[in-house]
Amino acid sequence: MIKVWGRKTSSNVQALMWCIGELGLPFTRYDIGHKYGGNNTAEFLSMNPNGTVPVIKDGDSAPIWETGAILRYLANRYAKAPFWPEDFVARTHIDKWAEWSKINIALNFTAPIFWRVVRTAPQHQDQEEIAKAIYKLGNMLNIAEMQLEKHKFIAGDYFTLADIQFGHILYRYFDIKINRPMHPEIINYYDRLTERHAFREYVMVSYEELRII
Ligand SMILES: N[C@@H](CCC(=O)N[C@@H](CS)C(=O)NCC(=O)O)C(=O)O
């Protein structure tokens, strides 16, 4: 049984839960972090000195933190091709897109855009900074758009671990009120993701509890 520490409104927890859902793994999840607290206790810090979520334990395993490492752990242990092939070259190309998505998409969206729009009171929102951040993310999304013109999924023709790292951001990206650049292939891709049960269950989650009004 996998134990997950992390609130369901955390985008990193959402990525991990989506992966657990896709792989059909049994789990118990504890609401930790943000309004639930619990991430600055000695007990939690002994699992993750960063005080961040998610953290998992798999059976008697030592605690694992860092979402990218958790996703790779789950894939290495429980997944198979095409989601996470054994062939290390094929796997590396999937990992390349997963890593790219974490650094260029998730990090350019969450704090610079999502926090500025949802986790900042409207009267304090800096529209110029938001527009600049959308432009910067848009340049990264142009690369994803080109990839999705050629392929059904972000790392190729099959759903893989890279789609978890790329796609989990898209619910919030398309849901918040911003002026988005045109990316028709990403919209088609996003529509395909919304047909996945685990995506709807663990990613398309209300973020209203995070909103500053
Ligand atoms: N690099 C870490 C970042 C973890 C992180 O920043 N988590 C956020 C939630 S997405 C957090 O714990 N925030 C504090 C809180 O929820 O109280 C990872 O990828 O897991």
Side-chain angles (χ1 to χ4, degrees):
M1 169 73 77
I2 297 170
K3 289 184 181 169
V4 178
W5 286 264
R7 58 189 165 87
K8 64 183 179 183
T9 52
S10 144
S11 58
N12 286 305
V13 173
Q14 292 179 354
L16 144 67
M17 291 307 303
W18 181 16
C19 186
I20 283 180
E22 291 287 348
L23 299 179
L25 305 174
F27 70 90
T28 304
R29 188 183 59 77
Y30 307 102
D31 275 325
I32 293 284
H34 196 63
K35 75 170 192 177
Y36 305 95
N39 48 335
N40 58 1
T41 63
E43 191 187 358
F44 187 85
L45 292 170
S46 73
M47 291 200 298
N48 179 4
N50 300 289
T52 53
V53 295
V55 177
I56 73 158
K57 275 192 188 186
D58 188 7
D60 292 335
S61 79
I64 311 170
W65 38 267
E66 278 304 328
T67 308
I70 296 172
L71 291 175
R72 286 183 192 94
Y73 167 79
L74 294 175
N76 283 329
R77 178 141 192 201
Y78 297 109
K80 42 186 197 251
F83 183 84
W84 193 240
E86 273 185 32
D87 176 81
F88 76 89
V89 176
R91 181 184 287 191
T92 298
H93 286 293
I94 292 167
D95 204 10
K96 169 186 77 181
W97 281 104
E99 192 67 8
W100 177 86
S101 300
K102 172 91 183 173
I103 293 167
N104 295 289
I105 304 299
L107 294 183
N108 277 324
F109 173 71
T110 300
I113 300 175
F114 183 75
W115 287 14
R116 283 191 175 122
V117 172
V118 173
R119 296 181 64 169
T120 306
Q123 67 272 26
H124 295 129
Q125 289 177 9
D126 184 334
Q127 297 305 332
E128 204 175 313
E129 285 303 314
I130 292 170
K132 271 194 226 163
I134 293 170
Y135 179 78
K136 187 174 178 198
L137 177 66
N139 284 337
M140 292 297 142
L141 289 174
N142 291 343
I143 294 169
E145 177 76 8
M146 283 191 288
Q147 175 74 348
L148 292 167
E149 275 166 11
K150 292 179 288 191
H151 300 287
K152 199 169 165 198
F153 293 102
I154 197 67
D157 295 324
Y158 300 98
F159 181 82
T160 68
L161 182 100
D163 293 292
I164 304 260
Q165 278 290 33
F166 177 64
H168 80 278
I169 290 302
L170 295 181
Y171 167 63
R172 289 177 174 183
Y173 175 70
F174 284 117
D175 202 60
I176 59 174
K177 288 195 175 67
I178 52 170
N179 288 322
R180 283 171 288 273
M182 289 282 286
H183 289 118
E185 292 302 333
I186 296 177
I187 291 175
N188 290 338
Y189 167 82
Y190 173 67
D191 287 344
R192 289 197 292 281
L193 294 185
T194 64
E195 288 165 11
R196 304 186 80 89
H197 175 75
F199 185 82
R200 289 201 304 276
E201 178 82 14
Y202 299 116
V203 180
M204 299 178 77
V205 169
S206 169
Y207 47 82
E208 286 309 309
E209 71 179 32
L210 303 175
R211 193 180 291 281
I212 308 274
I213 43 174

